[in-house]
């Protein structure tokens, strides 16, 4: 017998693969062989309705509901079937984007409903109506909201309802402005301000983040050029742009970064890519290659929300990272909580040992800033220094900057 994958099953000629009326938790893809699909009518008559061969899928209804099998499937000859369990299917569907998920559920439900209503099935087991299932499904999930937000996002992007705000990063040792982080802002004409914490995960889910990141990167580079020119800090200020894991696996990611840098005429050394540990853990090989190329071109690579993710630090060696951004939760209670303070100190020491810069995020009070400066932290960002603001305001803010804030 050939070696079988865990999900492969063999059936001999005449074996019953699934039986009408029984409960089933799996569908099958026919890898080899033929099967016969038959129905038993209420009067006991058996009706062969179809034959299926390699590549066909059988028992797919079991993936969306717990209703009994609607037909009997028998192996016509020796068959090899690949099993898809309901659990596996749900996992894959949950991981897909919400539009795909909902469409899949609805199509399967309607298909099953059509079968139920057809003459052949009329007097068989009764199922809930497709409409009821759809309504129930939609009520249970926030799918509609997500689809609406995804659709509106693209429209808003082309209507200039989305823009970037820039939050200054301050050099703690001399109090000067080191650069900015570009943060996306969505002012919806009817819903008002939608926080990035809400819409970013949704557009990440639907894949629109790729378009959004391309737009944001170009916008941020153009803004950096203008800010440098209008404040007189030529080639000095830096711009950090956030990227998500999806961006790194998109086609042409590197080409777009390169082209944008050259077309907007900024220097690669003034551009920092902010990523999260998740990217390095989920797509290590691809991320490493891409990040190496960016780093070699002179860009900075920052790990965002450092300290909140994975416990293994080994990735710090494996990737060309040059900045760690300490998550704001540790800064928030650092001056009252000794363990947060110790953790911040350890990250700063880690940065010194690995020759990486440290940025403290969410500095809201002067005491936090002073303590971070004493501890040797390089840069800080937070409401104490400046909130994220429009390009116009940031130019004014930098032009009137006071180096004595810290
Ligand atoms: P993040 O990258 O960690 O950005 C820092 C967040 O902290 C920003 O929230 C910023 O406004 C906020 N912040 C800065 N200083 C302080 C402070 O002193 N106190 C407090 N309480 N908050 C402070 P924001 O703008 O709401 O962004 C939230 C998250 O959305 C960002 O977290 C980032 O993960 C994501 N995001 C924003 N813009 C983009 C983008 O263009 N692309 C991607 N992929 N993600 C983005
Ligand atoms: Ca960030
Ligand atoms: Ca952060």
């Amino acid at each position: 017998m050939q070696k079988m994958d865990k999900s492969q099953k063999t059936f001999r000629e005449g074996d019953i693969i699934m039986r009408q009326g029984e409960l089933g938790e799996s569908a099958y893809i026919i890898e080899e062989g033929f099967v016969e699909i038959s129905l038993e009518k209420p009067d006991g008559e058996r009706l062969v309705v179809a034959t299926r061969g390699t590549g066909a899928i059988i028992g797919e209804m079991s993936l969306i509901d717990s209703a009994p099998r609607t037909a009997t499937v028998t192996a016509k000859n020796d068959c090899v079937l690949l099993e898809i369990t309901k659990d596996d299917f749900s996992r894959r569907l949950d991981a897909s984007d919400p539009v795909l998920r909902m469409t899949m559920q609805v199509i399967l439900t309607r298909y099953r409903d059509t079968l139920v209503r057809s003459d052949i099935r009329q007097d068989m087991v009764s199922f809930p109506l497709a409409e009821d299932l759809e309504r129930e499904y939609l009520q249970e999930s926030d799918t509609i909201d997500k689809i609406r937000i995804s659709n509106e996002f693209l429209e808003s992007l082309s209507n200039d309802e989305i823009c970037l705000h820039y939050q200054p990063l301050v050099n703690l040792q001399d109090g000067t402005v080191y650069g900015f982080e570009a943060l996306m802002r969505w002012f919806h004409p009817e819903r008002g301000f939608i926080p990035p914490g809400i819409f970013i995960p949704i557009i990440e889910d639907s894949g629109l983040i790729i378009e959004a990141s391309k737009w944001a990167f170009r916008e941020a580079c153009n803004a950096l050029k203008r800010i440098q020119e209008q404040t007189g800090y030529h080639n000095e200020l830096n711009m950090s742009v956030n990227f998500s894991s999806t961006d790194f696996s998109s086609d042409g990611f590197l080409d777009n970064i390169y082209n944008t840098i050259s077309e907007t005429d900024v220097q690669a050394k003034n551009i920092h890519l902010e990523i999260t540990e998740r990217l390095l853990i989920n797509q290590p090989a691809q991320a490493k290659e891409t990040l190496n190329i960016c780093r070699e071109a002179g860009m900075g690579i920052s790990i965002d929300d450092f300290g909140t993710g994975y416990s293994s630090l080994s990735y710090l060696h494996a990737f060309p990272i040059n900045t760690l951004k300490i998550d704001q939760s540790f800064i928030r209670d650092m001056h009252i909580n000794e363990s947060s303070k110790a953790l911040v100190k350890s990250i700063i020491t880690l940065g010194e040992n690995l020759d990486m810069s440290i940025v403290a995020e969410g500095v809201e009070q002067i005491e936090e800033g002073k303590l971070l400066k004493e501890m040797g932290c390089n840069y800080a960002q937070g409401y104490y220094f400046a909130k994220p603001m429009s390009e116009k305001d940031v130019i004014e803010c930098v032009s009137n900057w006071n180096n004595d804030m810290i």
Side-chain angles (χ1 to χ4, degrees), residues 255-370:
D255 285 348
N256 180 61
I257 296 272
Y258 268 59
N259 293 342
T260 307
I261 287 182
S262 99
E263 284 160 25
T264 55
D265 195 28
V266 290
Q267 295 200 309
K269 72 172 171 74
N270 294 133
I271 301 297
H272 295 248
L273 311 184
E274 285 198 16
I275 57 171
T276 58
E277 292 164 275
R278 222 173 323 130
L279 165 73
L280 309 180
I281 309 290
N282 294 347
Q283 307 164 24
Q286 192 179 15
K288 189 173 175 176
E289 201 185 324
T290 308
L291 293 175
N292 274 332
I293 298 173
C294 293
R295 192 74 195 101
E296 275 159 24
M299 287 168 247
I301 312 291
S302 307
I303 300 294
D304 208 352
D305 307 336
F306 186 73
T308 57
Y310 299 83
S311 52
S312 164
L313 293 178
S314 56
Y315 75 84
L316 291 179
H317 275 302
F319 296 93
I321 296 153
N322 64 332
T323 304
L324 302 178
K325 295 190 78 174
I326 310 177
D327 189 66
Q328 18 187 306
S329 56
F330 304 115
I331 309 298
R332 185 82 6 101
D333 57 356
M334 192 181 60
H335 62 289
I336 46 164
N337 181 334
E338 280 303 316
S339 61
S340 288
K341 188 172 156 187
L343 205 126
V344 169
K345 180 66 199 154
S346 324
I347 299 177
I348 294 170
T349 309
L350 183 74
E352 282 163 3
N353 292 337
L354 295 176
D355 202 19
M356 291 178 188
S357 298
I358 303 294
V359 180
E361 283 194 299
V363 175
E364 290 185 354
Q365 301 177 24
I366 185 161
E367 295 81 13
E368 294 160 350
K370 292 230 180 287

Side-chain angles (χ1 to χ4, degrees), residues 103-120:
T103 312
M104 188 72 197
Q105 295 274 9
V106 169
I107 288 173
L108 283 175
T109 311
R110 287 199 184 145
Y111 167 51
R112 202 270 319 280
D113 199 50
T114 308
L115 291 184
V116 173
R117 289 175 203 220
S118 74
D119 281 343
I120 283 178

Side-chain angles (χ1 to χ4, degrees), residues 119-321:
D119 281 343
I120 283 178
R121 309 289 173 88
Q122 225 168 39
D123 36 17
M124 291 189 1
V125 200
S126 66
F127 296 101
L129 289 175
E131 287 81 353
D132 291 342
L133 283 172
E134 284 169 28
R135 204 172 309 114
E136 196 180 296
Y137 172 70
L138 289 174
Q139 276 164 358
E140 268 175 19
S141 66
D142 46 7
T143 309
I144 286 193
D145 253 1
K146 289 184 171 174
I147 294 172
R148 198 178 287 139
I149 286 191
S150 280
N151 288 342
E152 288 177 355
F153 181 84
L154 272 190
E155 216 177 297
S156 287
L157 196 58
S158 50
N159 289 345
D160 292 335
E161 285 153 19
I162 289 163
C163 66
L164 293 180
H165 275 187
Y166 305 92
Q167 185 177 32
L169 270 76
V170 179
N171 183 330
L172 281 176
Q173 303 316 312
D174 60 13
T176 55
V177 179
Y178 172 72
F180 316 94
E181 175 174 4
L183 295 158
M184 223 179 270
R185 295 289 175 261
W186 184 359
F187 298 96
H188 192 282
E190 282 125 41
R191 296 166 192 242
F193 175 68
I194 307 178
I198 301 282
F199 72 82
I200 295 279
I202 295 175
I203 62 168
E204 275 176 347
D205 239 17
S206 63
L208 290 179
I209 188 76
I210 297 172
E211 214 41 53
S213 298
K214 275 190 193 164
W215 169 84
F217 189 62
R218 180 168 292 271
E219 184 75 7
C221 290
N222 275 321
L224 177 65
K225 191 75 190 168
R226 291 188 293 258
I227 297 169
Q228 286 173 331
E229 278 167 4
Q230 293 186 37
T231 57
Y233 286 108
H234 297 284
N235 303 332
E236 273 185 60
L237 301 167
N238 301 281
M239 184 63 79
S240 295
V241 183
N242 291 285
F243 285 95
S244 73
S245 310
T246 324
D247 294 312
F248 276 73
S249 45
S250 65
D251 287 342
F253 173 76
L254 268 176
D255 285 348
N256 180 61
I257 296 272
Y258 268 59
N259 293 342
T260 307
I261 287 182
S262 99
E263 284 160 25
T264 55
D265 195 28
V266 290
Q267 295 200 309
K269 72 172 171 74
N270 294 133
I271 301 297
H272 295 248
L273 311 184
E274 285 198 16
I275 57 171
T276 58
E277 292 164 275
R278 222 173 323 130
L279 165 73
L280 309 180
I281 309 290
N282 294 347
Q283 307 164 24
Q286 192 179 15
K288 189 173 175 176
E289 201 185 324
T290 308
L291 293 175
N292 274 332
I293 298 173
C294 293
R295 192 74 195 101
E296 275 159 24
M299 287 168 247
I301 312 291
S302 307
I303 300 294
D304 208 352
D305 307 336
F306 186 73
T308 57
Y310 299 83
S311 52
S312 164
L313 293 178
S314 56
Y315 75 84
L316 291 179
H317 275 302
F319 296 93
I321 296 153

